[in-house]
Amino acid sequence: MTDLAPISPFDASPSAVARIARRAPVDWTGIAFLTGLAVVILLPLVVTAVWAFAEVWRFPAIVPQRMGLGYWQETLSRHDVWQALWLSLSITTTVTVISAAICFPAAYAFARLDFPGRNMLFLAFLSVQAFPKFGLIIATATIFLTLHLIGTFWGVVLIQLVGTLLYMIWIPVSAFQGVDRRLEEAARDVGASPMRVFWSITLPQALPTLFAAILITFVNTFYETDAAWLIGLPNVRTMPMVMISFINNALEVQYGAVLFVFLWVPSFLLMLAARRVMGADAFAKGFGG
Amino acid sequence: MIAALRSGAMGGRLSGLLLVALPVALLIWLVLWPVLQAMVGTVYFPGTGFSIASYTYFFTDAYSLRNLWLTLWVTALTSVLRVVVAMPIALYLRFRTGSIAALVQALALFPMFVPSVLVAYAFIRVLGPNGIVDTVLVALHLPKLMSPYLTPAGPIIGLVWDGLPLTLLLLLSGLGRVSIASVDAARDLGAGSWTLFTRIILPRIQSSIIVTLAFNVLGLFSAFTLPFLLGPASPEMMGPYMQRTFSDNADPLNATTQAVITFAFCAAFGLIYVRAIAKGRKGTA
Amino acid sequence: MNRREFLMAGAAAGLVASTRFAAAATRLDMYTASDANISDFFNNVVKPAFEAANPGTELNVVIARPSAALDAVAQRALAALSAKADPQLDFIEQYEPMLPAGGIEAGLWTDFQKADLANYGAVNKLAIQTAYGLPYRGSQVLLAYDATKLPREKAPKTFADLAAWIKANPGQFIYNRPDKGGSGFNFVNRVVHEVSGRDPLKFKVDNFDQATADDVLGKAWAVLNDLAPSLYEKGAYTAGNTASLQLLAQGAVTMIPAWSDQVLQAIAKGVLPENTGLVQLGDLALCGGFSQAVVPTNAAHRDAALKLADFMLTQEMQTAVIEKLGGFPGVDWSNLPKALHDKYADVIPSSIPTFPSGEWTKAVQDGWYRNVAPNISRT
């Protein structure tokens, strides 16, 4: 394999892609995957979506006995749903941006630099996810109470920011770890400055993983409720808080189904966008090596 | 970053500490300190002194041990299933472009946007008793499905479904570092698919696989909603068990003890990841 | 009011739109984790009436479902008590005052007996479990069944009938885990009553004793384990009241225990079909329960919260509980108009057996997990 090393992994040559494409004009594997996923992923979602329009649907009917837009009207005419959506997007964006700003440099340090307590500190981030929240409620609440952050936008941002630390450090560390060091050394040998090495060798290789971390963080933060309940109530009500209070222990599945379908479209677009940066080679080409 | 790189050459002790300072400070202030307080609270009691009675109770209580055991095997099985399901999709997505691949990816990542409560509802409506699968089977005059709802298989199916996107994303981002050119070159030299996978792809995504497993273990150990809504009443997974001990039994001491024990298991797995990272660093340094 | 100011300054402008409420003189933060019918009741019935009676006070109904969210808020109030901070919580419409652990000892909840509520004397004595919770509405568990599969005249009238029916119709009955919802819990409690001589008064908040518990509960587990193989999936238990109702709605089971108000609402909304039968056991009714409202002692608007508590006990609100909510009153029937009593006499029993919270409840719930839940045969 050593003889292959000099080939930069990110300049997946268009010819290579074309060669694969030529070999398989019809993407049978893709169609097989698509069919499988359609059944496994889409079927439950479609059933949920149909519920959003169903007013009465009882076994053994294949389609609902009575359909209507009643639940849609009732849900979407609520002022708080729109307010919550906007609030959620603001909080989530703020958290993700701050988290990336403080965590990515830290992840780089953990992956590349040597400093006292490195392994210990790195391992310690585990406690963000591994220790159940209920044991920490009183202590956390006390801290936020003394700072007068209960029920505020920034209080929720702070508590959710802490929740992102693990993903935003551990995932990028594996990215910086996986960067081919020989390429960096080669670039440095031919006289590239450290900054140029970072921008044109290290970052492009790590970027797909960094995007994965950002995407995971964004979505997880958007749907996070445990911390948001504790710190946000009674003033801050995010979208999933509204959703869960509709869904949980509600006799009608419809409210939840409506809100869920309502969030479908933006999610699907986000997914397709993610493909551009994370998926095959579109991204690498964009950066041009 | 520039400073980091420069001093990286000189040892980087100080700049390393500076770069990690902010997240570490947040961590100590809002997580480590409260966690430490909680842990100490399970062994030290003001006025009476030290006692490990709650730990002794846990490890001698057959019911608690059965719950721990269930959590361990559900975690192991679910993690393996997730990787086994996600890996072929990830490989396909890495080496294919085009609109079908884009759709496959969008679909496979979709469960990420579905909150667990809704997964449970969808599950009940589809695979549950007299759900849509039963409805279709009955319409075709076939016997009804043995519903996995409220059986041990219920939460596992739900968890695999729910966790597929995270696993896929992490594997895919790891595969991003495997160059198509190197795979192509090896194939031109006559390497078969299996050889390609084990010799060229696997070694490059090792750290991604380990981080995937680590996150799976973390998430599964504290999984609450799906085991609770879809699984049998007993044995319980640690997530619902801790919650029940804490609020229904109003027993924070034993609940925190259970939390510390789960935490220890997760930390053990975390250690494997940290060691892998340390090894990788030495290997390339 | 310094937290309100802070809130205004701290939140990015326009992001926390609800801060505009800060304009009201007093905003009473009332929390509920109950189902939608209760939060609707507070928004549509209680709020306008209370605000009209108390000008300058605004009732802010905060929905905190699931109950874990409410637990977090109660814990936060306990933390606020020792930090001497504002818990941002004035009133919880229904909460177990025994929680959070150590709360009562720390003085978290207001003692209603000493709170000088004008209407406290009217409260139904049997409904009072503790001085820290104010019972203002009640409901009862009964059996709901699919009348297309079980003719109304054949519905069980005694516990023995019920047990016989369950065994004769394997797979057609399910109850939820007792800690996850009152319908399953009170079914289990009915078994406890059955094996201890059908006298609900034997169990009181303060008379728990381990020896009696071992004896009585041991017998109850035997009865439940005997029924288990005849339950849905040979001993499966749903995760809550709603999950049981859904199995009934899907036609997967024929009979479940259910809360009266919830099942009536489900029928009204079309979740359950019109031909759902309801029956109460005649030898001893299934238990009911009363919602306990609590007020933290450190609430920023404790006086207004106590006014609300008192207001909930007025004839006007108690009548609304019966007529608008389909619940039972928290006050004694003697304090309500005779005409109302006569109108509902057939539907609502004047006394409801209850099961004490605290030690007995814990013993039943945890004991059930350890002794009944694991005995499942999948063969």
Side-chain angles (χ1 to χ4, degrees):
Chain A
M1 261 319 288
T2 40
D3 51 337
L4 293 173
I7 301 170
S8 145
F10 51 88
D11 82 4
S13 55
S15 67
V17 177
R19 210 173 342 150
I20 291 175
R22 230 179 300 127
R23 251 182 237 159
V26 180
D27 188 356
W28 289 113
T29 336
I31 291 168
F33 275 126
L34 205 57
T35 322
L37 287 172
V39 171
V40 175
I41 307 282
L42 272 191
L43 181 70
L45 302 185
V46 168
V47 172
T48 316
V50 173
W51 265 105
F53 298 94
E55 280 173 5
V56 175
W57 190 7
R58 276 193 214 97
F59 183 78
I62 290 197
V63 290
Q65 283 96 337
R66 199 168 74 226
M67 311 260 298
L69 288 174
Y71 284 99
W72 278 87
Q73 234 160 22
E74 216 176 312
T75 313
L76 296 187
S77 63
R78 291 181 62 122
H79 188 54
D80 59 349
V81 167
W82 293 97
Q83 221 171 55
L85 180 64
W86 172 238
L87 177 67
S88 272
L89 289 174
S90 318
I91 291 181
T92 309
T93 313
T94 315
V95 168
T96 312
V97 168
I98 299 179
S99 181
I102 67 170
C103 290
F104 287 173
Y108 183 83
F110 276 121
R112 293 303 188 77
L113 305 179
D114 209 359
F115 51 88
R118 198 186 65 109
N119 284 350
M120 272 291 291
L121 288 175
F122 183 68
L123 187 63
F125 280 96
L126 190 89
S127 48
V128 171
Q129 300 277 320
F131 204 86
K133 297 281 175 293
F134 69 80
L136 312 177
I137 289 177
I138 295 251
T140 315
T142 309
I143 295 170
F144 280 78
L145 280 163
T146 48
L147 292 175
H148 301 283
L149 283 174
I150 296 286
T152 66
F153 177 83
W154 290 106
V156 175
V157 167
L158 183 60
I159 191 80
Q160 295 201 324
L161 178 64
V162 172
T164 65
L165 291 177
L166 177 69
Y167 283 94
M168 288 296 258
I169 289 187
W170 277 36
I171 298 175
V173 160
S174 83
F176 289 123
Q177 201 63 51
V179 171
D180 195 329
R181 301 294 283 269
R182 285 164 298 191
L183 284 175
E184 292 182 355
E185 279 154 25
R188 226 167 293 165
D189 286 347
V190 296
S193 70
M195 180 161 181
R196 178 141 170 73
V197 172
F198 181 81
W199 280 110
S200 47
I201 311 277
T202 318
L203 197 58
Q205 284 197 64
L207 218 51
T209 312
L210 298 189
F211 272 113
I214 288 180
L215 185 65
I216 291 170
T217 302
F218 190 88
V219 176
N220 279 354
T221 309
F222 187 89
Y223 284 109
E224 198 283 333
T225 49
D226 286 353
W229 288 118
L230 175 67
I231 303 300
L233 287 178
N235 300 314
V236 179
R237 289 179 50 74
T238 63
M239 188 68 184
M241 282 158 87
V242 172
M243 260 177 106
I244 298 228
S245 40
F246 276 135
I247 303 170
N248 213 280
N249 290 336
L251 288 168
E252 309 93 333
V253 208
Q254 285 91 335
Y255 291 117
V258 166
L259 286 175
F260 168 70
V261 173
F262 175 63
L263 291 174
W264 250 20
V265 182
S267 310
F268 204 78
L269 292 180
L270 193 62
M271 287 287 72
L272 288 174
R275 169 75 184 168
R276 286 189 63 83
V277 285
M278 302 220 6
D281 299 283
F283 145 77
K285 270 182 255 156
F287 273 73
Chain B
M1 282 303 206
I2 322 165
L5 278 172
R6 281 207 194 110
S7 48
M10 303 181 305
R13 300 173 73 88
L14 188 64
S15 50
L17 278 176
L18 278 177
L19 284 177
V20 302
L22 262 176
V24 167
L26 266 183
L27 178 78
I28 293 175
W29 178 40
L30 288 173
V31 183
L32 286 189
W33 176 238
V35 166
L36 198 70
Q37 274 181 316
M39 283 183 168
V40 170
T42 60
V43 290
Y44 179 72
F45 306 91
T48 45
F50 286 94
S51 158
I52 53 157
S54 62
Y55 292 87
T56 329
Y57 173 73
F58 184 94
F59 286 108
T60 51
D61 178 33
Y63 186 76
S64 301
L65 289 176
R66 201 161 54 217
N67 290 345
L68 179 64
W69 179 241
L70 174 87
T71 311
L72 285 171
W73 83 254
V74 168
T75 301
L77 188 62
T78 310
S79 311
V80 170
L81 280 176
R82 280 179 183 172
V83 173
V84 167
V85 173
M87 186 63 92
I89 305 179
L91 286 171
Y92 161 78
L93 289 173
R94 175 63 186 99
F95 299 109
R96 242 356 135 161
T97 48
S99 50
I100 292 186
L103 276 176
V104 167
Q105 175 160 340
L107 266 186
L109 293 186
F110 213 83
M112 194 150 87
F113 297 94
V114 187
S116 306
V117 189
L118 216 57
V119 176
Y121 273 91
F123 178 100
I124 296 171
R125 294 294 170 185
V126 175
L127 288 175
N130 292 355
I132 198 78
V133 172
D134 274 355
T135 307
V136 172
L137 288 177
V138 167
L140 298 172
H141 302 288
L142 292 168
K144 283 189 194 175
L145 184 81
M146 275 275 292
S147 174
Y149 179 48
L150 299 178
T151 72
I156 294 180
I157 296 174
L159 287 166
V160 169
W161 197 89
D162 201 32
L164 182 65
L166 178 71
T167 311
L168 183 65
L169 266 181
L170 292 173
L171 291 179
L172 204 52
S173 70
L175 283 170
R177 293 193 298 268
V178 181
S179 80
I180 291 183
S182 65
V183 171
D184 254 13
R187 191 174 282 154
D188 288 347
L189 294 172
S193 307
W194 182 249
T195 323
L196 264 180
F197 179 65
T198 52
R199 291 292 188 74
I200 294 173
I201 296 174
L202 263 190
R204 309 262 349 226
I205 61 166
Q206 222 170 11
S207 71
S208 287
I209 292 184
I210 297 177
V211 79
T212 310
L213 288 174
F215 280 126
N216 272 326
V217 170
L218 284 181
L220 289 166
F221 250 89
S222 52
F224 176 75
T225 311
L226 292 173
F228 161 60
L229 287 175
L230 300 180
S234 172
E236 304 161 87
M237 276 183 76
M238 289 307 283
Y241 182 44
M242 288 187 277
Q243 196 66 47
R244 188 169 71 78
T245 312
F246 186 70
S247 51
D248 296 340
N249 293 355
D251 186 354
L253 173 64
N254 278 315
T256 315
T257 304
Q258 292 157 9
V260 173
I261 292 164
T262 14
F263 180 64
F265 275 92
C266 293
F269 215 86
L271 210 58
I272 298 175
Y273 178 58
V274 171
R275 291 186 73 135
I277 289 284
K279 209 174 92 195
R281 228 165 48 94
K282 272 190 209 106
T284 48
Chain C
M1 285 295 107
N2 105 29
R3 81 161 143 104
R4 305 270 188 250
E5 284 161 30
F6 194 88
L7 203 130
M8 289 297 270
L15 287 174
V16 184
S18 50
T19 46
R20 62 195 154 78
F21 289 132
T26 305
R27 191 188 79 180
L28 194 61
D29 290 327
M30 192 226 70
Y31 287 67
T32 174
S34 306
D35 293 329
N37 59 333
I38 306 295
S39 45
D40 289 349
F41 174 71
F42 270 88
N43 267 322
N44 304 334
V45 179
V46 180
K47 184 177 156 80
F50 181 69
E51 284 172 1
N54 297 276
T57 309
E58 189 196 330
L59 183 64
N60 179 33
V61 179
V62 183
I63 300 171
R65 284 190 287 268
S67 58
L70 201 53
D71 287 339
V73 171
Q75 295 242 329
R76 192 174 89 185
L78 184 60
L81 189 66
S82 49
K84 299 205 170 26
D86 177 357
Q88 304 210 23
L89 154 71
D90 298 313
F91 188 98
I92 307 181
E93 161 272 327
Q94 135 79 348
Y95 198 66
E96 169 56 66
M98 307 278 175
L99 291 173
I104 289 178
E105 289 81 351
L108 176 62
W109 304 122
T110 299
D111 182 340
F112 284 106
Q113 270 165 1
K114 298 181 186 136
D116 291 326
L117 299 188
N119 299 316
Y120 193 72
V123 174
N124 182 350
K125 299 289 171 291
L126 292 173
I128 298 178
Q129 301 240 359
T130 152
Y132 301 98
L134 184 72
Y136 78 94
R137 65 176 169 93
S139 177
Q140 189 166 16
V141 173
L142 38 69
L143 298 170
Y145 60 93
D146 187 339
T148 55
K149 294 186 197 156
L150 174 67
R152 284 172 200 273
E153 63 278 7
K154 288 197 181 153
K157 305 282 188 305
T158 63
F159 187 82
D161 283 356
L162 175 63
W165 182 87
I166 293 172
K167 285 191 182 171
N169 298 275
Q172 293 303 312
F173 186 84
I174 193 166
Y175 61 94
N176 66 262
R177 298 163 207 175
D179 62 318
K180 300 295 187 267
S183 62
F185 178 51
N186 284 325
F187 173 77
V188 174
N189 290 339
R190 181 61 184 79
V191 175
V192 174
H193 286 155
E194 183 71 17
V195 298
S196 61
R198 292 188 205 131
D199 181 9
L201 297 175
K202 269 188 191 164
F203 305 94
K204 295 197 174 73
V205 178
D206 51 8
N207 75 348
F208 180 81
D209 116 86
Q210 194 64 50
T212 321
D214 288 343
D215 173 45
V216 171
L217 297 186
K219 286 187 213 152
W221 307 148
V223 172
L224 287 168
N225 281 328
D226 183 42
L227 292 177
S230 311
L231 297 179
Y232 176 75
E233 288 272 325
K234 300 183 172 115
Y237 308 93
T238 48
N241 301 327
T242 346
S244 299
L245 282 167
Q246 277 167 351
L247 282 183
L248 183 65
Q250 295 275 65
V253 295
T254 304
M255 194 191 296
I256 57 164
W259 282 111
S260 55
D261 55 344
Q262 207 171 23
V263 74
L264 288 172
Q265 197 200 1
I267 296 171
K269 293 216 169 185
V271 175
L272 285 174
E274 298 275 319
N275 53 3
T276 302
L278 301 175
V279 65
Q280 182 58 272
L281 295 182
D283 46 352
L284 172 68
L286 287 152
C287 284
F290 285 88
S291 291
Q292 316 247 16
V294 294
V295 173
T297 50
N298 56 343
H301 310 108
R302 184 164 170 270
D303 292 342
L306 289 175
K307 260 188 217 163
L308 176 63
D310 215 6
F311 187 70
M312 293 314 298
L313 300 176
T314 56
Q315 223 179 66
E316 182 194 356
M317 284 299 110
Q318 289 296 308
T319 309
V321 162
I322 302 166
E323 296 197 314
K324 303 262 165 62
L325 207 56
F328 304 147
V331 299
D332 213 81
W333 277 98
S334 62
N335 297 290
L336 294 171
K338 178 96 176 40
L340 192 71
H341 184 224
D342 294 345
K343 186 172 163 197
Y344 287 92
D346 312 334
V347 207
I348 300 168
S350 48
S351 105
I352 309 166
T354 55
F355 197 82
S357 58
E359 292 300 322
W360 279 111
T361 291
K362 269 193 258 174
V364 167
Q365 293 181 344
D366 199 48
W368 181 89
Y369 270 91
R370 288 167 179 275
N371 296 291
V372 181
N375 297 322
I376 183 162
S377 68
R378 296 226 167 266
T379 46

